[in-house]
Amino acid sequence: MELRVLIHAPRGRDAAVVQSVLGEHHVGVICADSRELAQRIDEGAAAAVITEEALVDEPLVQHLSSWLAGQPSWSDFPFIVLATKQPGRRSAEAIASLHSLGNVILLERPLNAETLASAADAAVRARKRQYATRQHLDELSRTRNEVERLNSQLEARILERTRELATANDRLMKEIAERERAQAALTQVQKMEAIGRLTGGIAHDFNNLLHVVNMNLELISLYAKEEKVKPVVERAKSAARRGSKLTGQLLSFARSQSLLPRLTSVNKLLLGMKDLIEISVGSSVQVKLDLCEQPASVVVDASQLEMAVLNLAVNSRDAMPDGGTLTISTCTDERTEAREHLKPGQYVLVRVSDTGQGIAPQLLSKVFDPFFTTKPLGSGTGLGLSQVYGFARQSGGVASIVSHVGQGTTVELVFPAAPADAQPGAEPPQPAEVPAPVEPRKILVVEDDPDVRRVIVECLGLIGYAVSEAPNGTEGLAAIASSKPDLLVVDYAMPDMTGAEVISRARALVGELPVILATGYADMAAVERLAGKPAILRKPFDINSLGAAVATALEARAEPNHVLSNV
């Protein structure tokens, strides 16, 4: 259809003659009127042969002009116009009509058949080239679309791969950061462990010095005849007790002291440590105590409770770099139903509140996790709150936290209230006096510090015991092997072997043997593993405590697992 030649010659037999001339090489289609010509041009054709007189049809000319103006860029439809020979120039209207057709071959009549056929061949060839151009453009368009599609797919794959690489890189960087954080946390823990060991060693040596001072003050008090000496001795002993409390806190920090639960007045404890808290938080933080009027007694490890409150106070100080208010309050509460791991009953609550920066809600669930900290790297181990939580749980209570960003944080510790019949864990110190004489018993004292050993030996001799001594575990075991004593008093931390090892080997040599472990620095897990549960006499102690411990241990020879705790 696209290669046919349309013929529109409205007068006479011109259309039939033209069709017959083209019939040998081309398909000629006669269009009876202008409407049919316009329709067939729309359907498709290679060229059109039109007589000049047909162009006087104005609607036809307008339609053709409109169609030609809208033809695609590759198309330049050819017209063969059979013109009538004119005696002069054509009118302007006739010329305009011819120009409106664009690609026109003008043949004047009369003309021979070869001229018409040649013109038709040229027009059809030109149209074929246009069709080839159209096909080429279509192929280019399809190729361009395919390239664009492939480019889009490639870009999408590149984008997807880039996202995958970015995700993998983010994951890798997060793992690297997490590893670096874990390594930094491990380094910090190792550093704190080293500091703890150093602190424990210093506290142990200082505890021995305090013990010597305290025991010699006791002896001075006993030997002195002048009354004016005794107040001086009491003041010195008071200073020694304060020093002993400090070494106890240092040993608790070093986690080198096995502390036992005892009846504790929470209000009295907090009042006693207010000065320490104020020193710890600094002058920019105001410390307020809001203590309840009811008795707030609990059975807990008092030193651990002190350390827990001190930990919370230091955390609050760090949350208030520009200063603020730290409030420590207590109250009692009766719970009628079980909740938060607590059974119904009476409880004592300790709240530590600050006006600091607060903690973001998404972090609150993690604050009690070991090694988690909101402080800058190197400023903490992340173990403080986890130790507080563990202490509360081990004491039969719970720890909880409430915080609002920009308003502050409150940590609440809940402990079971002490039963009404609970007994105090320690008796008030008694005035120094010479213990009553006792029946002769052989006691071996094994202590590496010569001053500590000398004063213990002197005090036991003063009471009336037959005392021998050894400066280390090896010599002590040799003395036991040669003559079994009635009682062994041994220090824990010694250079050649620990007191627990001495106890274990001594019992292997001579069988059951009453023992007092006199120490302020002991790994109680190792002691219990090697020596069971010997009587513990904590340094520094006085003559009365020493005499009572020895008498109790000797009387309890039939009870090898008897435990004595003296703080």
Side-chain angles (χ1 to χ4, degrees):
M1 182 179 291
E2 289 187 336
L3 295 179
R4 64 186 178 179
V5 178
L6 304 179
I7 304 168
H8 180 50
R11 295 182 182 175
R13 297 185 59 255
D14 291 346
V17 171
V18 171
Q19 184 181 33
S20 63
V21 171
L22 301 177
E24 296 181 2
H25 303 288
H26 305 287
V27 177
V29 177
I30 298 174
C31 299
D33 51 36
S34 60
R35 180 178 299 176
E36 185 180 357
L37 175 63
Q39 179 182 349
R40 294 188 182 277
I41 287 179
D42 288 338
E43 293 172 353
V49 179
I50 303 176
T51 57
E52 187 175 12
E53 55 269 20
L55 297 177
V56 298
D57 188 348
E58 187 66 24
L60 175 62
V61 174
Q62 290 179 356
H63 179 80
L64 292 176
S65 299
S66 175
W67 184 86
L68 291 170
Q71 64 184 335
S73 59
W74 56 265
S75 177
D76 188 13
F77 192 82
F79 289 94
I80 301 174
V81 178
L82 303 180
T84 303
K85 188 173 183 179
Q86 301 287 337
R89 291 179 59 83
R90 288 182 173 78
S91 64
E93 291 80 359
I95 295 174
S97 296
L98 292 174
H99 285 175
S100 66
L101 298 178
N103 185 8
V104 175
I105 300 175
L106 188 61
L107 300 177
E108 287 191 351
R109 293 176 290 183
L111 72 161
N112 57 44
E114 289 79 2
T115 301
L116 178 58
S118 177
D121 290 340
V124 172
R125 282 197 303 273
R127 190 61 173 170
K128 286 182 177 180
R129 285 193 294 273
Q130 293 175 21
Y131 289 152
T133 301
R134 178 187 64 183
Q135 183 178 359
H136 180 63
L137 291 175
D138 289 344
E139 290 176 354
L140 285 177
S141 178
R142 286 194 297 272
T143 303
R144 182 166 53 252
N145 292 338
E146 182 67 15
V147 169
E148 290 177 354
R149 185 183 66 81
L150 294 175
N151 283 341
S152 298
Q153 291 181 349
L154 180 60
E155 289 176 359
R157 293 175 63 184
I158 291 174
L159 183 61
E160 181 180 0
R161 186 58 177 167
T162 301
R163 280 197 298 265
E164 291 176 355
L165 291 175
T167 302
N169 183 67
D170 291 343
R171 187 166 59 249
L172 177 61
M173 295 305 295
K174 185 180 296 184
E175 290 175 356
I176 291 174
E178 183 66 20
R179 181 175 298 177
E180 290 177 349
R181 189 195 68 81
Q183 184 64 39
L186 176 61
T187 302
Q188 182 71 3
V189 169
Q190 291 172 339
K191 181 179 72 174
M192 296 303 292
E193 180 66 23
I195 293 173
R197 289 179 182 274
L198 176 62
T199 302
I202 294 173
H204 169 256
D205 294 341
F206 189 55
N207 214 35
N208 279 342
L209 295 175
L210 284 173
H211 179 67
V212 174
V213 170
N214 191 63
M215 293 291 283
N216 279 286
L217 288 172
E218 291 275 347
L219 293 175
I220 292 173
S221 180
L222 291 172
Y223 292 149
K225 303 301 182 182
E226 299 181 13
E227 289 297 323
K228 64 180 181 180
V229 174
K230 294 186 178 181
V232 176
V233 171
E234 284 302 318
R235 289 196 295 271
K237 288 174 65 177
S238 176
R241 284 194 294 269
R242 291 199 299 271
S244 176
K245 183 177 181 180
L246 174 61
T247 57
Q249 290 173 336
L250 290 174
L251 289 170
S252 179
F253 167 76
R255 298 186 298 280
S256 299
Q257 189 175 27
S258 179
L259 303 173
L260 303 175
R262 65 178 185 270
L263 183 63
T264 303
S265 171
V266 176
N267 290 343
K268 185 177 179 181
L269 181 142
L270 292 176
L271 285 171
M273 64 182 301
K274 183 180 180 183
D275 291 344
L276 177 61
I277 294 173
E278 289 177 339
I279 293 172
S280 300
V281 299
S283 59
S284 62
V285 177
Q286 182 183 6
V287 178
K288 292 184 178 180
L289 295 183
D290 181 14
L291 307 180
C292 63
E293 296 181 358
Q294 301 87 351
S297 297
V298 294
V299 179
V300 299
D301 187 320
S303 297
Q304 286 285 6
L305 180 56
E306 285 184 351
M307 291 303 297
V309 173
L310 194 58
N311 268 333
L312 296 176
V314 171
N315 282 347
S316 295
R317 177 203 64 190
D318 294 341
M320 299 183 289
D322 300 324
T325 302
L326 171 65
T327 303
I328 302 176
S329 60
T330 61
C331 67
T332 58
D333 181 33
E334 181 175 1
R335 303 197 173 186
T336 57
E337 57 183 21
R339 66 178 187 273
E340 297 179 346
H341 309 288
L342 300 178
K343 299 177 181 179
Q346 288 284 344
Y347 290 90
V348 175
L349 281 62
V350 180
R351 294 189 181 97
V352 179
S353 304
D354 62 59
T355 57
Q357 300 167 345
I359 303 173
Q362 65 270 21
L363 300 180
L364 281 178
S365 61
K366 302 178 181 179
V367 294
F368 290 124
D369 293 348
F371 303 113
F372 178 82
T373 178
T374 58
K375 298 177 183 178
L377 186 62
S379 298
T381 62
L383 292 173
L385 284 177
S386 65
Q387 289 175 337
V388 170
Y389 180 81
F391 163 65
R393 294 289 293 120
Q394 290 173 1
S395 302
V398 295
S400 60
I401 186 169
V402 177
S403 184
H404 301 284
V405 176
Q407 299 181 20
T409 301
T410 297
V411 178
E412 182 179 85
L413 305 179
V414 181
F415 301 102
D421 57 350
Q423 297 298 319
E427 295 294 332
Q430 299 295 325
E433 58 182 23
V434 178
V438 296
E439 61 177 295
R441 293 287 185 92
K442 293 188 297 182
I443 299 177
L444 173 63
V445 177
V446 181
E447 167 65 61
D448 63 313
D449 189 303
D451 293 331
V452 175
R453 185 172 68 251
R454 186 180 304 113
V455 74
I456 293 177
V457 169
E458 184 174 351
C459 289
L460 289 174
L462 182 63
I463 297 173
Y465 294 108
V467 187
S468 59
E469 59 183 283
N472 53 56
T474 302
E475 294 187 25
L477 291 174
I480 292 171
S482 63
S483 176
K484 180 181 177 181
D486 295 308
L487 175 68
L488 172 64
V489 178
V490 60
D491 183 29
Y492 176 77
M494 296 185 293
D496 60 339
M497 66 181 72
T498 67
E501 292 172 327
V502 173
I503 295 170
S504 177
R505 295 183 187 185
R507 286 175 174 169
L509 283 174
V510 299
E512 189 56 44
L513 178 66
V515 175
I516 293 177
L517 187 64
T519 183
Y521 177 85
D523 182 350
M524 295 309 297
V527 171
E528 292 180 6
R529 183 173 65 253
L530 294 173
K533 293 184 177 181
I536 305 295
L537 187 60
R538 301 211 177 279
K539 298 177 183 177
F541 48 81
D542 55 26
I543 295 177
N544 284 331
S545 299
L546 177 60
V550 171
T552 302
L554 290 172
E555 292 172 0
R557 296 184 64 172
E559 302 178 36
N561 290 328
H562 176 75
V563 178
L564 170 67
S565 176
N566 186 290
V567 181

